[in-house]
């Protein structure tokens, strides 16, 4: 519906020679100065409201430098496309929900649901130049998954038995299983990381943002 209704707007912007991008009802117009931006915004607002009979959202509309512009979850820094802080906050909030320790589902279900979200998210946001951040997020996500396993195993003897099955030396498995440290802190300990390795988590179906980013950019 947006493409039907706003087709006239696209043609008007093209007629005026503006550089612009539009997705649904969200659009950005690029100009050379603050003064030009204010003039164009006032003119286009009049066109949208008087000619197209639509209401422009005054709260979201603004004239700002490109470095302060948010568009479709992205921002622009030094000629680089980056994730906007709000988009990243929303992503982390959803990952916390999907890896919540109180969510009473199997780890198989938890990893499957999380990986579905991660795959869809990076397929959209992967165009950003944020390789290093995908590596950091992968570390954080794997730590949360290790925390979930550690909580699910609950009893010390179960933890020790499972770590030994995963190849952790007996002495280290016992030390790790008997610890009084909390789940989040324990997720970074040597025993858990040697047992629940990155490769093992990948075998369980956990998607890597870093791997998906590399595939999107380099094939």
């Amino acid at each position: 519906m947006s493409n039907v209704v706003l087709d006239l707007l696209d043609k008007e912007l093209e007629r005026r020679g503006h550089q612009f991008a539009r997705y649904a009802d969200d659009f950005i117009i690029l100009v050379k100065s603050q003064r030009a931006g204010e003039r164009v915004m006032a003119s286009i607002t009049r066109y949208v409201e008087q000619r197209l009979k639509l209401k422009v959202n005054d709260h979201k509309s603004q004239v700002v430098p490109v470095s302060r512009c948010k568009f479709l979850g992205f921002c622009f820094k030094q000629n680089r496309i980056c994730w906007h802080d709000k988009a990243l906050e929303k992503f982390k909030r959803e990952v916390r929900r999907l890896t919540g320790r109180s969510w009473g589902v199997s780890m198989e279900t938890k990893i499957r649901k999380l990986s579905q979200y991660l795959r869809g998210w990076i397929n959209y946001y992967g165009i950003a130049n944020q390789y290093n951040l995908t590596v950091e997020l992968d570390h954080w996500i794997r730590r949360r998954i290790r925390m979930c396993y550690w909580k699910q195993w609950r009893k010390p003897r179960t933890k020790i038995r499972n770590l030994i099955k995963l190849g952790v030396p007996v002495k280290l498995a016992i030390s790790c299983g008997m610890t009084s440290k909390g789940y989040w802190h324990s997720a970074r300990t040597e025993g858990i990381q040697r047992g629940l390795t990155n490769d093992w988590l990948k075998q369980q179906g956990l998607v890597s943002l870093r791997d998906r980013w590399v595939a999107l950019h380099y094939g």
Side-chain angles (χ1 to χ4, degrees):
M1 288 301 296
S2 296
N3 286 337
V4 172
V5 175
L6 296 178
D7 182 62
L8 288 175
L9 174 62
D10 293 343
K11 288 183 170 55
E12 180 65 17
L13 292 173
E14 290 171 356
R15 186 185 68 79
R16 298 186 186 189
H18 291 313
Q19 295 185 29
F20 71 98
R22 180 178 66 81
Y23 183 85
D25 63 343
D26 196 356
F27 63 94
I28 179 174
I29 303 172
L30 302 176
V31 296
K32 294 183 177 180
S33 67
Q34 178 77 18
R35 184 176 179 181
E38 292 171 354
R39 184 179 66 253
V40 169
M41 188 170 81
S43 175
I44 294 301
T45 298
R46 284 195 302 271
Y47 178 85
V48 170
E49 295 187 338
Q50 295 177 10
R51 176 70 184 277
L52 303 182
K53 307 303 180 183
L54 300 173
K55 176 63 179 175
V56 173
N57 189 324
D58 294 330
H59 178 68
K60 292 185 177 180
S61 301
Q62 56 182 342
V63 180
V64 295
V66 172
S67 60
R68 289 173 49 198
C69 179
K70 172 181 177 291
F71 186 58
L72 305 178
F74 296 95
C75 59
F76 311 94
K77 300 177 180 178
Q78 298 178 343
N79 298 323
R80 296 170 63 244
I81 303 175
C82 301
W83 303 324
H84 194 273
D85 290 344
K86 289 184 178 179
L88 191 57
E89 288 172 9
K90 183 179 179 181
F91 168 80
K92 289 185 174 181
R93 189 163 57 247
E94 183 63 12
V95 170
R96 289 190 185 98
R97 185 186 72 81
L98 292 170
T99 57
R101 291 177 295 177
S102 59
W103 190 24
V105 298
S106 67
M107 286 304 302
E108 180 182 338
T109 298
K110 187 170 292 189
I111 290 177
R112 185 177 72 253
K113 293 291 186 181
L114 173 63
S115 292
Q116 287 174 351
Y117 175 72
L118 296 178
R119 191 177 293 109
W121 192 87
I122 197 63
N123 282 346
Y124 176 80
Y125 283 100
I127 64 171
N129 308 112
Q130 303 261 226
Y131 172 81
N132 290 336
L133 193 48
T134 63
V135 174
E136 293 177 16
L137 289 173
D138 271 350
H139 287 318
W140 176 68
I141 292 167
R142 285 193 291 261
R143 184 178 177 184
R144 290 197 64 83
I145 289 296
R146 291 184 179 110
M147 174 190 69
C148 292
Y149 273 107
W150 201 237
K151 183 177 189 297
Q152 190 179 71
W153 291 345
R154 299 184 62 185
K155 296 181 180 180
R157 63 184 180 184
T158 304
K159 295 175 180 177
I160 294 169
R161 183 173 64 250
N162 286 334
L163 288 178
I164 292 175
K165 285 182 180 179
L166 291 169
V168 179
V170 175
K171 185 175 181 180
L172 180 58
I174 293 174
S175 174
C176 192
M178 298 300 293
T179 184
S180 59
K181 296 176 181 177
Y183 299 117
W184 178 246
H185 188 85
S186 295
R188 288 192 66 182
T189 57
E190 180 184 0
I192 294 179
Q193 292 197 0
R194 287 182 63 173
L196 282 68
T197 63
N198 296 351
D199 288 340
W200 186 84
L201 292 176
K202 186 175 182 179
Q203 291 172 11
Q204 309 314 303
L206 182 62
V207 166
S208 165
L209 295 178
R210 180 263 180 197
D211 290 349
R212 292 295 303 164
W213 189 94
V214 171
L216 289 169
H217 284 260
Y218 301 106

